[in-house]
Amino acid sequence: MKQLSVQHLLGIKYLKKEDITLIFETANHFKEVINRPIKKVPSLRDITIANLFFENSTRTKLSFELAEKRLSADVINFSASQSSVKKGETLIDTVNNILAMKVDIVVMRHSDVGAGVFLSKHVNAKIINAGDGAHEHPTQALLDTYSIKEKLGTVSNKKVVIIGDILHSRVALSNIYALQLLGAEVMVCGPLSLIPKHIKSLGVQVETNIKKALEWCDVANVLRVQNERMDASYFPSTREYTQLFGINLELLNSINKDIVIMHPGPINRGVEITSDVADSDKSIILNQVENGVAIRMAIIYLLAQQIKK
Ligand code: CP
């Protein structure tokens, strides 16, 4: 049986193209499973998984939990706001206490960049990064690229623009790595204050004119402005941001091509995207969410195959 080249899923940066191909092939199988009347397989009955969320989440947390339950794993959930972290416990102590309860895989979202890498060096469990600060969100990038492949047949040679707050986004960096591994061309578009200074060194194009960016691309992945990560004002007003970078139907109708619209969620309707676009047949936003379960089942299943019982 084919195996991943990595022992943990810490970031797309650590994956090879063959890993993504294997994850997609495995996800194809699980997508078929979750569309059956009985959406569950007994594959991981001997595996226990802890979901540790030190930051808020709706989609990622629910999607991981559902993926784990569809694989018949035992699941425990931890949310920092209701835990002894508030009493001063360190990350390693928290995790080692959870592992003492015989946990095999830890899924973790944390506000610190590199939290997953740190944990993988100090605890004896498989680690899956569910988002570390403004660094990486590998499962989001995998479900995004899987959704592009499903919609357009291939990712190779497609032109993808990532629009909005690139500076504070872990989705952007993971998508750039995944899209490039799969042979896509990548552009970022947004106010220069929200684009990292050295982003061109990653081989991506930079565009500040939203219409030109949309005319160039096959796929537009629209990001939220991440106010919770901002310690300063990056643009004069939300109204101006929306006028210059918001995606609306009038703008899409003004370009002479059909493009695919994506968004990782949560959406701020009326800010970076209007409802008539988010809910239109150009949008694959809910397909992304559906594919997230199959992709996460694939990753958990493949990592669990490496565990010797
Ligand atoms: N896309 C994403 O990570 O959403 P959540 O923050 O709701 O998990």
Side-chain angles (χ1 to χ4, degrees):
M1 191 198 151
K2 284 192 228 166
Q3 296 267 350
L4 290 174
S5 72
V6 290
Q7 293 296 310
H8 309 272
L9 182 67
L10 302 173
I12 302 292
K13 185 170 58 185
Y14 305 105
L15 297 185
K16 299 187 165 82
K17 185 178 177 187
E18 298 75 56
D19 293 316
I20 300 188
T21 304
L22 177 58
I23 291 167
F24 283 8
E25 283 169 5
T26 314
N28 286 343
H29 167 68
F30 287 127
K31 182 147 183 188
E32 190 260 311
V33 168
I34 59 179
N35 281 293
R36 289 181 195 158
I38 297 171
K39 301 170 171 49
K40 209 165 165 163
V41 285
S43 315
L44 301 192
R45 274 191 305 209
D46 56 344
I47 295 288
T48 303
I49 304 177
N51 298 315
L52 313 189
F53 279 74
F54 292 86
E55 254 192 8
N56 294 343
S57 170
T58 300
R59 275 146 295 273
T60 312
K61 188 166 183 287
L62 292 178
S63 178
F64 265 113
E65 191 173 342
L66 200 56
E68 292 152 7
K69 289 180 171 168
R70 298 271 192 251
L71 290 166
S72 303
D74 290 322
V75 179
I76 53 173
N77 288 303
F78 162 97
S79 148
S81 58
Q82 293 151 13
S83 76
S84 290
V85 170
K86 295 272 172 214
K87 300 175 194 163
E89 190 167 67
T90 66
L91 175 60
I92 295 222
D93 281 338
T94 299
V95 176
N96 273 330
N97 275 272
I98 291 166
L99 293 181
M101 301 175 208
K102 309 283 180 232
V103 166
D104 303 292
I105 300 177
V106 172
V107 175
M108 184 172 73
R109 171 169 288 190
H110 201 284
S111 55
D112 289 349
V113 170
V117 173
F118 174 75
L119 208 57
S120 70
K121 291 182 176 155
H122 291 90
V123 303
N124 185 23
K126 298 281 177 192
I127 309 296
I128 300 177
N129 178 5
D132 62 326
H135 182 220
E136 280 228 38
H137 192 349
T139 57
Q140 182 69 46
L142 290 166
L143 74 89
D144 287 345
T145 45
Y146 182 84
S147 301
I148 294 172
K149 185 167 189 284
E150 185 179 67
K151 181 72 181 175
L152 299 179
T154 178
V155 179
S156 177
N157 295 321
K158 296 299 175 195
K159 293 178 174 172
V160 181
V161 61
I162 306 171
I163 299 168
D165 181 0
I166 313 299
L167 186 66
H168 300 100
S169 173
R170 51 193 171 214
V171 174
L173 186 60
S174 287
N175 260 273
I176 290 168
Y177 288 142
L179 287 163
Q180 290 181 337
L181 265 182
L182 296 172
E185 275 185 70
V186 187
M187 174 187 278
V188 294
C189 178
L192 284 178
S193 57
L194 289 176
I195 294 181
K197 279 196 181 60
H198 303 293
I199 194 134
K200 282 188 181 165
S201 66
L202 293 178
V204 306
Q205 299 181 52
V206 176
E207 176 60 68
T208 52
N209 181 308
I210 189 71
K211 195 165 175 198
K212 282 188 187 163
L214 294 175
E215 280 166 343
W216 173 85
C217 74
D218 301 301
V219 178
N221 196 351
V222 185
L223 305 181
R224 176 176 69 90
V225 174
Q226 306 204 29
N227 291 309
E228 74 277 16
R229 293 192 202 286
M230 292 185 183
D231 50 12
S233 185
Y234 287 81
F235 44 84
S237 68
T238 303
R239 190 181 148 92
E240 186 179 306
Y241 179 88
T242 301
Q243 276 175 353
L244 290 175
F245 297 101
I247 307 298
N248 58 59
L249 208 50
E250 195 186 336
L251 178 61
L252 288 184
N253 287 339
S254 75
I255 61 168
N256 285 328
K257 64 196 286 196
D258 238 357
I259 62 170
V260 178
I261 300 292
M262 304 175 69
H263 194 307
I267 294 176
N268 287 147
R269 287 176 185 260
V271 180
E272 72 275 7
I273 192 167
T274 52
S275 289
D276 55 8
V277 174
D279 303 332
S280 73
D281 57 7
K282 296 176 191 296
S283 157
I284 59 165
I285 294 171
L286 291 179
N287 304 74
Q288 291 171 257
V289 177
E290 180 185 345
N291 289 335
V293 177
I295 282 287
R296 291 178 174 115
M297 286 174 82
I299 291 158
I300 293 163
Y301 177 82
L302 289 166
L303 287 176
Q305 301 316 298
Q306 302 171 345
I307 297 172
K308 293 186 180 55
K309 288 278 181 184

